[in-house]
Amino acid sequence: INKSDADSRPALLDMDEQATEEALKDFDDIIPAAIQERRRGGFRLNELFSQSHWSYISDDTRGELEERFRSQVERGDIVGVYTSPTVDGPQRYNKV
């Protein structure tokens, strides 16, 4: 790796992180609206999206979206939604 390549790599990573953060912010309106439309009961994050929309989201973004959503729920940012005990698979949530 020459010096110019090494110097440009951190900038590329920052651009990727910024793009990911912007993509996550796009969901800040979609998720609460989907929760509001749901009936009470258990759900997983992917159930707030249509199957085609969820499959369009990259695996990395899905993982970060899951972490972000869980953090918001645990902080109480999303009123009326709580984490449910999960044995296997993605985190389950409960709307009351």
Side-chain angles (χ1 to χ4, degrees):
I1 298 177
N2 64 39
K3 183 168 176 23
S4 64
D5 286 343
D7 290 343
S8 68
R9 288 180 191 266
L12 292 175
L13 290 175
D14 289 343
M15 288 174 35
D16 286 344
E17 289 174 5
Q18 183 177 1
T20 300
E21 185 62 29
E22 288 175 17
L24 293 174
K25 286 181 183 179
D26 289 343
F27 299 112
D28 286 345
D29 294 328
I30 294 170
I31 291 172
I35 290 170
Q36 189 172 12
E37 292 176 10
R38 286 192 69 83
R39 294 181 181 185
R40 293 178 178 182
F43 67 93
R44 289 193 165 102
L45 180 60
N46 66 317
E47 296 170 10
L48 300 178
F49 298 88
S50 68
Q51 187 175 3
S52 61
H53 192 182
W54 186 252
S55 63
Y56 176 75
I57 301 169
S58 74
D59 289 340
D60 290 341
T61 303
R62 285 185 207 168
E64 291 191 35
L65 189 58
E66 285 273 3
E67 288 178 30
R68 180 183 175 121
F69 183 67
R70 182 177 182 160
S71 176
Q72 290 170 338
V73 169
E74 289 176 345
R75 278 194 318 254
D77 296 350
I78 303 183
V79 178
V81 175
Y82 303 93
T83 56
S84 296
T86 303
V87 176
D88 290 335
Q91 176 64 50
R92 288 198 52 83
Y93 301 93
N94 193 34
K95 178 181 177 182
V96 292

